[in-house]
Amino acid sequence: MTTLNILYEDPHILVCVKPHGIATQSKSIRYPDMVSLIRNHLAKSSGSRNPGSAEPYLAVIHRLDQPVAGILVFAKTPAAAKDLNKQLQNQGFGKYYRALVANTPSTKEGTLENYMVKDARTNTSRICSAKENGSKIARLHYDTVPVTDWLFTAPAAFHGTELEIHLDTGRHHQIRVQLASVGCPIVGDTKYNQELSDTTGWQTIRLCAYKLDFKHPITHKAMHFQLTNDPV
């Protein structure tokens, strides 16, 4: 991918769509990530691509897993970054996802609340007890919605469910782990779907951050972004 899908940009922030398979930020120089793509865009826009030019300021506010698509906001100034991070820490962000899951939850809508811990060695997370070292509370709300035909390409003979998910917390692999824990793993998730654990090769996970709400860090105007009818 060499082009950016920018939904909004001003001198303070940039909102764009991250495709499946692109990292938000990566140490690898072999493949592009969102940070490098946006910095290239900013340098080109400002005409500062000459050797020795200062690298454009860009702050990562929140992230999406590499296999996950969706909306991200980046800060273009330190002041914007400070305000957006404060909103994020105080649950001022409205982060909404859509997911295709195998099976059907026991209730049409509900709240999942667990303690989770991350294993940095394997880059996985799991549900644990509240007393386990490093555990953090993870909470989300879900609601069953009609299966869309524009946001995801469902596998052949798909008999699962589409969920809308609102995150209260932002733990590592949270949605993927919590849905798998109630028997509704996300379609295409080879890491947490046991039926796909032996699958080799790239799989497109059917999880998308399709809606994002926050306040503009400078004007404090309510900002709302939502994917509507374009596939990602």
Side-chain angles (χ1 to χ4, degrees):
M1 190 198 83
T2 57
T3 59
L4 286 169
N5 183 356
I6 297 175
L7 303 179
Y8 176 85
E9 182 179 7
D10 66 20
H12 312 285
I13 62 173
L14 185 148
V15 181
C16 63
V17 180
K18 186 188 87 66
H20 295 282
I22 301 291
T24 303
Q25 187 175 27
S26 173
K27 295 180 180 179
S28 172
I29 60 174
R30 297 180 58 191
Y31 304 103
D33 59 15
M34 295 304 296
V35 168
S36 62
L37 290 170
I38 293 172
R39 280 191 171 137
N40 287 340
H41 161 76
L42 296 178
K44 184 177 180 180
S45 299
S46 65
S48 61
R49 302 191 71 174
N50 297 324
S53 297
E55 191 173 63
Y57 179 89
L58 186 70
V60 177
I61 305 302
H62 58 131
R63 301 169 187 267
L64 293 173
D65 299 341
Q66 184 170 346
V68 179
I71 303 172
L72 288 171
V73 57
F74 294 85
K76 295 170 62 176
T77 67
K82 181 179 180 180
D83 186 271
L84 289 174
N85 277 313
K86 184 177 180 180
Q87 290 186 53
L88 188 65
Q89 293 168 7
N90 294 324
Q91 297 187 353
F93 272 40
K95 296 188 288 184
Y96 298 84
Y97 294 72
R98 287 289 182 94
L100 283 183
V101 300
N103 307 317
T104 302
S106 58
T107 58
K108 182 178 179 181
E109 59 180 302
T111 298
L112 300 181
E113 183 171 301
N114 307 97
Y115 282 88
M116 290 178 54
V117 64
K118 178 182 177 181
D119 185 341
R121 181 180 58 84
T122 60
N123 191 35
T124 59
S125 291
R126 59 179 173 82
I127 290 174
C128 64
S129 72
K131 297 180 179 180
E132 185 164 341
N133 186 38
S135 65
K136 295 181 179 180
I137 191 71
R139 184 172 52 253
L140 63 78
H141 308 281
Y142 72 85
D143 191 12
T144 304
V145 295
V147 176
T148 58
D149 58 2
W150 55 266
L151 191 56
F152 304 110
T153 301
F158 174 70
H159 299 294
T161 309
E162 185 163 335
L163 302 177
E164 176 165 306
I165 299 146
H166 179 211
L167 279 182
D168 277 352
T169 57
R171 307 306 177 205
H172 178 257
H173 293 177
Q174 178 182 338
I175 297 174
R176 300 161 68 181
V177 171
Q178 288 192 285
L179 291 181
S181 75
V182 294
C184 296
I186 299 174
V187 175
D189 189 355
T190 57
K191 186 163 286 190
Y192 297 105
N193 187 340
Q194 293 185 352
E195 294 183 2
L196 299 177
S197 59
D198 294 329
T199 303
T200 58
W202 179 261
Q203 297 286 312
T204 299
I205 185 172
R206 272 59 167 199
L207 176 62
C208 179
Y210 90 107
K211 185 165 65 172
L212 180 66
D213 297 327
F214 60 92
K215 289 184 179 180
H216 193 282
I218 307 301
T219 67
H220 304 297
K221 175 184 176 182
M223 308 292 286
H224 172 80
F225 300 93
Q226 180 173 338
L227 302 180
T228 53
N229 57 2
D230 295 323
V232 294

